[in-house]
């Protein structure tokens, strides 16, 4: 059959993956008049950016936060009528960092925050100033795309920092938000973080799943569809699905799935593209939501904080890596998101044991929790966010120079940056490249 463009196939573009990047790709292509279908192996839309409703509370899986630096996301929120539902969290980036037996206050949303915290000495703070200077002088052209800082991709994020500065300044947000040790990350990641994570910390009222649902509205998304391979054809591509004898035929395809999955589906990708996809590693994150009878407030140095971080250096014999205060997500009572520390090897613990350990250690650090916990929900993400180590962003830039190839392209946060803004920008970039190639 022929589609609206006259092509003898099923659709103009098949997008593999219904995460944020895939949905944005399809949305942008549809806005350009191209017919699209999104195929997704899971039964839900959004990938790790998902909101789950549970007994009068909503529980987030990922992509919870955004800031004023998320320019593409803010524009989309306005387009889908959610601009007024982008709300600032009361405590912003203010956190408590465990230092010995004390919670020390630090504001991760500004450079002065780590310089003012009592958790660091003067030598630590001087090392932060020296290390941060090249990052502050850099002017990234796109806060959703790490390639704009690829000239800073030649060193780890912790270079030049004292051990204590590294564990309390860089490791806090990296280990807590992404599940990645700072010494494994590119300095470009730290530099981008300083520009993106400033000002107000914002959430979508009612859960970020509302944003996902809004951008998916009107798109043809087919769940439970597992792709076996994607191959070029004389007039486009063929997308072969499990259980289907006939492939989906299209003028082009965008693989908006994890890097290793994309590498398996695209067996004859150009060498720079294949090298990038095979080099990407993902962090994992395991955590439990603790429902409490009354809202619990956390404080550090006498100031209210929205999160607590127990860095690797401070974990000791505990399992807990941090706490995020999510009271606003519950209709009544309180809600805490408690993460497992990397050193705890949570993947080796069953759900009940993990929940027991995290609850026990949270109660040990906060005795006021004893007798307050009424419910527990364990969340696990073996594949969470891509980790960009030194040199990886240069490989990414080289891979993108070869796209699209044979009407095949890539989208996903592994193509830009490991946050929602990155996923959005990757989808927009892939749509632009594919639309240009089909023009």
């Amino acid at each position: 059959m022929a589609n609206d463009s006259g092509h003898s196939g099923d659709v103009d573009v098949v997008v593999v993956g219904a995460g944020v990047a895939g949905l944005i790709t399809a949305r942008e292509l549809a806005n350009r008049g191209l017919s699209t279908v999104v195929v997704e192996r899971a039964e839900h839309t959004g990938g790790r950016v998902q909101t789950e409703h549970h007994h009068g509370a909503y529980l987030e899986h990922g992509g919870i936060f955004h800031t004023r630096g998320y320019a593409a996301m803010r524009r989309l929120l306005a387009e889908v009528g959610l601009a007024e539902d982008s709300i600032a969290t009361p405590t912003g980036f203010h956190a408590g960092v465990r230092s010995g037996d004390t919670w020390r206050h630090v504001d991760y949303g500004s450079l002065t925050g780590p310089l003012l915290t009592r958790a660091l000495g003067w030598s630590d703070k001087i090392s932060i100033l020296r290390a941060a200077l090249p990052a502050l002088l850099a002017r990234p052209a796109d806060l959703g795309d790490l390639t704009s800082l690829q000239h800073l991709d030649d060193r780890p994020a912790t270079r030049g920092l004292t051990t204590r500065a590294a564990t309390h300044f860089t490791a806090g947000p990296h280990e807590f938000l992404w599940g990645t040790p700072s010494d494994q990350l590119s300095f470009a990641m730290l530099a981008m973080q300083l520009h993106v994570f400033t000002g107000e910390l914002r959430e979508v009222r009612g859960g970020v799943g509302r944003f996902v649902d809004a951008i998916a509205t009107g798109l043809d998304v087919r769940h439970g569809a597992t792709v076996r391979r994607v191959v070029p054809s004389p007039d486009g591509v063929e997308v072969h699905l499990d259980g289907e004898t006939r492939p989906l035929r299209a003028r082009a395809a965008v693989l908006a799935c994890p890097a290793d999955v994309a590498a398996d589906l695209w067996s004859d990708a150009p060498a720079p593209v294949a090298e990038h996809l095979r080099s990407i590693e993902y962090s994992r994150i395991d955590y439990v939501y603790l429902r409490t009878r009354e809202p619990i407030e956390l404080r550090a140095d006498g100031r209210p904080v929205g999160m607590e971080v127990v860095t690797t250096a401070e974990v000791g014999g505990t399992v807990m890596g941090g706490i995020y205060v999510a009271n606003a997500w519950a209709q009544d009572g309180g809600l805490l998101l408690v993460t497992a520390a990397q050193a705890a090897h949570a993947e080796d613990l069953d759900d009940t044991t993990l929940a027991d350990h995290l609850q026990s250690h949270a109660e040990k650090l906060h005795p006021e929790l004893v007798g307050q916990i009424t419910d527990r929900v364990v969340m696990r993400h073996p594949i969470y966010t891509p980790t960009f180590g030194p040199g990886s962003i240069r490989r990414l830039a080289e891979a993108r120079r070869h796209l699209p190839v044979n009407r095949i392209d890539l989208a996903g946060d592994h193509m830009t940056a490991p946050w929602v803004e990155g996923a959005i920008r990757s989808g927009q970039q892939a749509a632009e490249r594919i639309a240009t190639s089909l023009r």
Side-chain angles (χ1 to χ4, degrees):
M1 72 182 197
N3 59 19
D4 292 342
S5 66
H7 170 251
S8 181
D10 301 303
V11 71
D12 285 320
V13 184
V14 173
V15 178
V16 181
V20 169
L23 296 175
I24 293 297
T25 302
R27 175 187 170 91
E28 294 286 322
L29 290 170
N31 288 342
R32 295 166 186 262
L34 295 169
S35 59
T36 65
V37 60
V38 184
V39 291
E40 168 59 53
R41 64 184 176 182
E43 295 299 333
H44 73 273
T45 302
R48 76 172 188 274
V49 184
Q50 177 191 4
T51 301
E52 180 179 331
H53 294 271
H54 181 81
H55 297 169
Y58 63 87
L59 313 178
E60 300 282 36
H61 285 255
I64 303 170
F65 314 114
H66 59 279
T67 72
R68 66 185 180 191
Y70 285 49
M73 183 173 182
R74 289 192 293 107
R75 285 193 294 269
L76 281 166
L77 285 168
E79 286 179 19
V80 300
L82 292 176
E84 296 302 316
D85 289 307
S86 170
I87 56 175
T89 62
T91 50
F93 288 96
H94 293 269
V97 177
R98 195 70 177 169
S99 180
D101 295 327
T102 306
W103 292 106
R104 292 300 187 188
H105 174 270
V106 59
D107 178 9
Y108 281 122
S110 70
L111 179 61
T112 57
L115 297 180
L116 294 175
T117 181
R118 295 166 63 189
L120 300 176
W122 281 110
S123 61
D124 306 317
K125 296 174 181 180
I126 290 172
S127 76
I128 290 174
L129 281 173
R130 288 174 175 169
L133 185 59
L136 294 173
L137 293 177
R139 295 295 179 187
D142 186 340
L143 293 180
D145 189 351
L146 285 168
T147 63
S148 62
L149 290 180
Q150 61 181 291
H151 62 288
L152 298 177
D153 188 37
D154 59 348
R155 71 199 88 163
T158 54
R159 179 177 294 180
L161 294 173
T162 65
T163 300
R164 191 159 186 80
T167 57
H168 288 75
F169 171 53
T170 60
H174 293 158
E175 292 178 10
F176 183 69
L177 297 178
W178 293 304
T180 307
S182 295
D183 57 5
Q184 296 179 18
L185 294 177
S186 168
F187 184 78
M189 274 281 289
L190 173 62
M192 188 68 86
Q193 173 193 324
L194 293 177
H195 290 280
V196 173
F197 298 119
T198 59
E200 294 179 328
L201 187 66
R202 307 186 73 84
E203 303 173 358
V204 176
R205 192 197 320 269
V208 72
R210 295 182 62 209
F211 172 66
V212 171
D213 292 342
I215 61 177
T217 299
L219 299 178
D220 183 358
V221 182
R222 304 178 188 180
H223 296 97
T226 300
V227 178
R228 294 199 308 270
R229 66 184 186 277
V230 178
V231 296
S233 66
D235 58 351
V237 296
E238 292 183 349
V239 178
H240 296 259
L241 302 169
D242 273 352
E244 299 288 340
T245 57
R246 178 183 175 278
L248 273 173
R249 293 178 298 162
R251 298 172 67 197
V254 177
L255 308 183
C257 40
D260 59 328
V261 176
D264 290 340
L265 295 179
W266 193 3
S267 59
D268 60 346
V273 175
E275 181 183 6
H276 165 67
L277 293 176
R278 293 296 184 190
S279 69
I280 289 292
E281 297 181 357
Y282 284 83
S283 65
R284 78 167 284 140
I285 189 167
D286 302 85
Y287 53 100
V288 63
Y289 279 103
L290 300 179
R291 194 75 177 267
T292 60
R293 299 183 191 280
E294 302 292 337
I296 301 296
E297 182 185 70
L298 302 181
R299 304 182 74 86
D301 288 330
R303 301 181 61 175
V305 297
M307 64 186 85
E308 291 180 341
V309 179
V310 183
T311 65
T312 298
E314 301 283 353
V315 166
T318 71
V319 171
M320 194 181 91
I323 298 178
Y324 180 73
V325 180
N327 292 324
W329 305 353
Q331 291 180 1
D332 55 71
L335 187 67
L336 301 175
L337 186 165
V338 184
T339 66
Q342 286 188 318
H345 298 290
E347 64 272 19
D348 298 330
L349 305 176
D350 61 54
D351 285 1
T352 300
T353 303
L354 176 62
D356 286 344
H357 285 343
L358 289 177
Q359 177 179 340
S360 172
H361 294 144
E363 289 175 339
K364 181 178 179 180
L365 295 174
H366 294 287
E368 67 271 26
L369 282 172
V370 176
Q372 280 281 334
I373 295 169
T374 61
D375 194 12
R376 311 183 307 190
V377 180
V378 172
M379 301 283 194
R380 295 184 185 270
H381 291 282
I383 297 176
Y384 194 58
T385 60
T387 58
F388 288 90
S392 63
I393 299 167
R394 293 175 186 267
R395 285 194 297 272
L396 165 60
E398 179 62 21
R400 288 213 323 230
R401 281 191 280 271
H402 289 77
L403 295 174
V405 179
N406 295 328
R407 300 285 177 87
I408 300 176
D409 210 316
L410 299 169
D413 52 7
H414 61 278
M415 298 302 296
T416 44
W419 41 78
V420 175
E421 182 76 1
I424 293 171
R425 290 294 294 123
S426 76
Q428 293 172 336
Q429 292 169 3
E432 174 65 29
R433 291 190 297 262
I434 284 294
T436 300
S437 74
L438 297 180
R439 195 168 294 155

